[in-house]
Amino acid sequence: MIELIPAIDLIDGKCVRLTKGEYDSKRIYNEDPVAQAREFERLGFKRLHMVDLDGAKSKHVVNDDVLKAVTQETNLIVDFGGGIKTEEDIEKAFNAGASMVTVGSIAVTKPELFMGWMEKYGAERMILGADVRNGKVSINGWLEDSEEDLLPFLKKYVDRGVKNVLCTEISKDGTLQGPATALYVEIMKAYPSLHLIASGGVSCNEDIKQLDANGIPAVVFGKAYYEGKIKVETLGLGEQK
């Protein structure tokens, strides 16, 4: 069964969602991310995706105190991203209890630095963030587009041992218009060994079922949960890997 990963995106220490990554579209869904994480655990989720949007914008980790509170108060496996630009940022995240970190921009701008981190910390603890807009990988909190085309970008890293990839189709993110299933199928066809985490656009349980039916290993969702469009009781949380 597909791995189900709810998301907490952080601005000013609060759970928010953006639309298409636009900061002025911010909507606060819960002022207490620790309480929200506890609720996810109570519902049966095993894992949590946390994004430090303040960190992504300021280019260094900002909300590690919130991460620490979540990992101390729950048993959730947390992957943490946003603003990880230096080894100090990685250490901050791991010291605050993250099991994995998601790194995107550095993999685009400083590939050898990213590979050094993967060799030091292990492929299992590193998630390559490959967020895409108009076919190009986007960086720095989606504020800039690079010249990297998605599939060649992924190949470069898969060939060097990357196992985990989080791919967000930015034009879908926060829109509740359905995920970019065809894109994820294309990625899995090219790189069937990847643990691909699909992100962006999930609007309902049926979207998750479609991703599962197409062999996508994992999915992140946020707004659909916060707006009550996902029926958690029918997700089959007891069947998770």
Side-chain angles (χ1 to χ4, degrees):
M1 179 182 170
I2 193 167
E3 186 176 20
L4 303 164
I5 311 173
I8 289 178
D9 291 359
L10 297 165
I11 291 180
D12 297 330
K14 299 170 183 175
C15 297
V16 306
R17 299 303 292 174
L18 309 182
T19 300
K20 300 183 183 179
E22 294 166 4
Y23 281 74
D24 60 3
S25 70
K26 177 184 77 174
R27 179 172 175 186
I28 298 169
Y29 283 97
N30 193 327
E31 301 217 353
D32 186 347
V34 178
Q36 183 60 67
R38 283 200 208 99
E39 175 64 6
F40 284 139
E41 186 173 43
R42 185 192 71 76
L43 290 168
F45 292 103
K46 306 295 183 193
R47 185 159 160 190
L48 176 65
H49 175 62
M50 290 186 75
V51 182
D52 184 352
L53 291 174
D54 294 314
K57 199 170 188 179
S58 60
K59 302 185 181 181
H60 63 87
V61 169
V62 173
N63 284 292
D64 50 308
D65 56 332
V66 181
L67 167 63
K68 186 173 185 177
V70 166
T71 59
Q72 287 181 337
E73 295 289 328
T74 74
N75 292 309
L76 293 166
I77 297 166
V78 181
D79 70 80
F80 183 83
I84 294 178
K85 307 292 187 187
T86 65
E87 197 160 315
E88 181 185 2
D89 291 319
I90 293 180
E91 293 288 345
K92 263 189 181 181
F94 285 149
N95 289 339
S99 297
M100 290 161 277
V101 293
T102 302
V103 180
S105 302
I106 289 296
V108 174
T109 60
K110 298 178 181 176
E112 291 310 315
L113 182 59
F114 176 81
M115 288 306 305
W117 293 345
M118 197 174 80
E119 286 160 15
K120 179 173 181 176
Y121 297 104
E124 297 301 330
R125 301 194 78 189
M126 302 293 292
I127 301 172
L128 174 63
D131 301 327
V132 64
R133 178 166 44 210
N134 300 321
K136 301 288 187 183
V137 178
S138 187
I139 60 174
N140 295 327
W142 304 348
L143 298 175
E144 303 170 43
D145 291 334
S146 74
E147 294 302 312
E148 295 272 5
D149 292 311
L150 179 62
L151 289 178
F153 174 74
L154 293 179
K155 183 178 191 320
K156 179 167 60 180
Y157 285 111
V158 171
D159 287 349
R160 297 183 70 178
V162 163
K163 293 180 167 49
N164 303 299
V165 169
L166 172 75
C167 182
T168 304
E169 168 49 74
I170 296 168
S171 69
K172 298 275 191 180
D173 193 64
T175 64
L176 300 175
Q177 292 177 354
T181 305
L183 173 65
Y184 304 129
V185 168
E186 184 181 11
I187 293 170
M188 289 306 300
K189 189 174 178 180
Y191 313 114
S193 65
L194 268 187
H195 186 74
L196 176 66
I197 306 164
S199 171
V202 170
S203 66
C204 60
N205 291 53
E206 189 57 37
D207 287 341
I208 295 171
K209 287 180 186 173
Q210 284 295 321
L211 290 168
D212 193 16
N214 279 284
I216 309 307
V219 58
V220 164
F221 49 87
K223 186 178 280 190
Y225 165 81
Y226 292 113
E227 298 203 350
K229 296 179 183 300
I230 285 179
K231 295 180 174 62
V232 173
E233 65 277 8
T234 64
L235 283 176
L237 286 168
E239 303 162 27
Q240 284 197 102
K241 298 172 188 173

